[in-house]
Amino acid sequence: MQAMQQKLEDFRDYRRLHKPPKVQEKCQLEINFNTLQTKLRLSNRPAFMPSEGKMVSDINNAWGGLEQAEKGYEEWLLNEIRRLERLDHLAEKFRQKASIHESWTDGKESMLQKRDYETASLSEIKALLKKHEAFESDLAAHQDRVEQIAAIAQELNELDYYDSPSVNARCQKICDQWDNLGVLTQKRREALEKTEKLLETIDQLYLEYAKRAAPFNNWMEGAMEDLQDTFIVHTIEEIQGLSMAHEQFKATLPEADKERQAILGIHNEVMKIAQTYHVNMSGTNPYSTISTQEINSKWDRVRQLVPKRDQALMEEHARQQQNERLRKQFAAQANVIGPWIQTKMQEIGRIAIEMHGTLEDQINHLRQYEKNIVNYKPKIDQLESDHQQIQEALIFDNKHTNYTMEHIRVGWEQLLTTIARTINEVENQILTRDAKGISQEQMNEFRNSFNHFDRKKTGMLDSDDFRACLISMGYNMGEAEFARIMGIVDPNRLGVVTFQAFIDFMSRETADTDTADQVMASFKVLAGDKNYITADELRRELPPDQAEYCIARMAPYIGHDAVPGALDYMSFSTALYGESDL
């Protein structure tokens, strides 16, 4: 442009400085030629004929050619200046667009070549993909600028721009870089997508690992807890139940080991993917804190505890077998001794109550019982020894017998006490009989009356039973009188009357009072002054047990005024006190 502007300036100088004198010269030449021709013609001389090419017309033609050349030159200068202005504008536009583009691409190649995805997590990979998608959109938007740059360069070449080599080189560099950006962009997308798929696969494997490792870990912890749990059993059935449950547990171990191998296989698959595709495992499993080392460690612990549990159960089974032997040994004796004690108690009770033979016969019989009981003591001692072994073995129950050692002891003590007390009672009865002159028949009647009103069969009468007995014998007394009598027969206020106290009282009463007349008078009142009484009257006037006692022992009345069912209360009253045979 500068050279063209100089040319334009030179052309202007030519037209302003150099050409005007020549115009004057040309005009003067024409004037001189015309003057010369006029003078020659006036002088009748031949016209002047310049040499060829120097005619005025030749000069004019040449001058016209010069002016035509000037016009063409000027047009060329102006067109060239305009062209150069256009080229400068395009070149500036090229430089601006190229600079903007180069500024935008600065660092893009290194950014696209970064391998940051190798250490990224799945969430980070997804973020990188979003960022890459945004970059691809930006890259596509810059496609027009690159095309514009190339078009401007093409136009500059077509317009024969003087600096076309540098423009072409820069344009080529931009195009090459653009192509490279496209390749790098595609490669990065492929790398990101591949890494995303790998991390998604790893993430799924991590999730599957967590879903299976957690319950398996819980199972192992529960198994370890159960295998180390101290058990307390008291029967062989209980230890057999524990052994059966343990065998069932051991049967599940192969399946559990398969599950462990499957869980470890998931972890190994993750490691294989990481090694094969060079995935940098930047972190641990986000879904689980349970490591494979922890799983293997706990599994080894479970395998170690199983034989220990086997041994403990075997030892406990042997102990329970010994305990069962002790139970059966104790029960075999207790089931014999317990009923024997009960039988002897009942036999002694019958001897004391039934009054078979004389009192001397009873005491001899009882002393024989006492001797037999004393001779039975070694069996009690043996049972005590077996019980001691049971206690030392911490055995608390025995399904083979309902008898405990405490029951046997109490029963044995009661048996010894009962035989001693019964012998003492019979001895006292002998003393009372001999001292008061009571006949054997009276003693038997006292016993029969006592036994009848001993409703609970305890060998003693409570206050209600004793009152009923007295009423049946004709006593008509108020509360004060009955309280006086109870004070005599029950001085310790225990609320019961023993047979000995009953005998003492009856012996005194028979010695001091004509009670037969009193009883007959009482029955006469109940019978309405009749010489007989009916069962209905007795049931109506007396308590049920007293009424049944009298009905059972009264003979039928056979007087002339007898009615069906009449009973003889007079013979009953006299017979009650031994005054006649009933």
Side-chain angles (χ1 to χ4, degrees), residues 2-204:
Q2 187 176 0
M4 291 306 297
Q5 288 176 343
Q6 184 59 46
K7 284 182 179 294
L8 181 59
E9 188 63 30
D10 291 344
F11 180 67
R12 287 173 178 169
D13 287 344
Y14 156 75
R15 300 190 78 174
R16 183 175 62 253
L17 299 176
H18 300 291
K19 186 178 179 181
K22 295 300 182 180
V23 171
Q24 290 295 328
E25 287 180 7
K26 172 180 175 295
C27 183
Q28 188 61 48
L29 183 59
E30 288 179 355
I31 291 172
N32 291 336
F33 181 73
N34 290 330
T35 302
L36 177 59
Q37 292 293 78
T38 302
K39 288 180 175 184
L40 286 175
R41 188 174 64 246
L42 292 177
S43 300
N44 294 319
R45 291 180 67 181
F48 175 71
M49 292 297 292
S51 58
E52 184 178 354
K54 294 181 181 179
M55 297 290 290
V56 172
S57 58
D58 293 333
I59 292 172
N60 285 334
N61 289 336
W63 188 264
L66 175 62
E67 287 183 341
Q68 196 67 32
E70 288 176 355
K71 181 179 180 183
Y73 182 67
E74 185 178 25
E75 288 176 357
W76 173 78
L77 281 176
L78 293 175
N79 287 335
E80 186 66 15
I81 288 174
R82 283 194 293 269
R83 184 183 71 82
L84 289 176
E85 286 179 346
R86 166 87 175 146
L87 287 174
D88 283 347
H89 173 72
L90 286 174
E92 182 61 26
K93 189 175 181 180
F94 174 84
R95 284 190 292 272
Q96 288 180 356
K97 288 184 177 293
S99 296
I100 293 172
H101 178 77
E102 288 166 348
S103 176
W104 177 82
T105 58
D106 185 36
K108 293 294 188 294
E109 288 176 304
S110 60
M111 181 271 290
L112 291 171
Q113 290 174 328
K114 285 172 64 177
R115 306 180 71 86
D116 50 352
Y117 51 82
E118 291 182 348
T119 58
S121 63
L122 180 59
S123 59
E124 291 171 340
I125 282 293
K126 291 185 179 297
L128 288 175
L129 268 171
K130 293 291 184 184
K131 183 178 179 182
H132 190 70
E133 288 173 1
F135 172 76
E136 287 178 328
S137 298
D138 195 14
L139 186 69
H142 278 77
Q143 178 70 32
D144 289 344
R145 176 173 285 112
V146 175
E147 291 176 356
Q148 290 173 7
I149 291 171
I152 293 172
Q154 180 64 28
E155 189 174 358
L156 288 173
N157 279 302
E158 290 175 354
L159 293 176
D160 196 20
Y161 181 55
Y162 75 96
D163 200 14
S164 290
S166 64
V167 169
N168 291 336
R170 190 173 185 183
C171 179
Q172 188 62 43
K173 181 180 178 182
I174 289 172
C175 290
D176 291 343
Q177 185 185 40
W178 181 256
D179 293 339
N180 190 41
L181 283 177
V183 172
L184 293 176
T185 299
Q186 183 61 28
K187 286 184 177 179
R188 183 170 176 81
R189 166 169 281 281
E190 291 173 356
L192 289 172
E193 289 177 346
K194 178 181 177 182
T195 305
E196 181 188 31
K197 289 180 180 179
L198 290 174
L199 291 181
E200 284 179 344
T201 301
I202 291 173
D203 188 72
Q204 288 298 320

Side-chain angles (χ1 to χ4, degrees), residues 298-343:
K298 290 182 178 178
W299 176 254
D300 291 340
R301 180 61 177 158
V302 169
R303 296 297 298 271
Q304 292 169 4
L305 290 173
V306 168
K308 292 182 179 179
R309 186 71 167 187
D310 287 335
Q311 183 64 27
L313 289 172
M314 289 175 60
E315 293 173 357
E316 183 61 27
H317 191 271
R319 191 175 74 85
Q320 288 302 325
Q321 285 181 324
Q322 174 65 13
N323 289 353
E324 187 68 8
R325 187 187 65 78
L326 292 175
R327 287 191 185 94
K328 290 180 178 179
Q329 181 177 311
F330 177 87
Q333 298 182 73
N335 287 337
V336 173
I337 294 173
W340 183 87
I341 291 174
Q342 292 173 351
T343 300

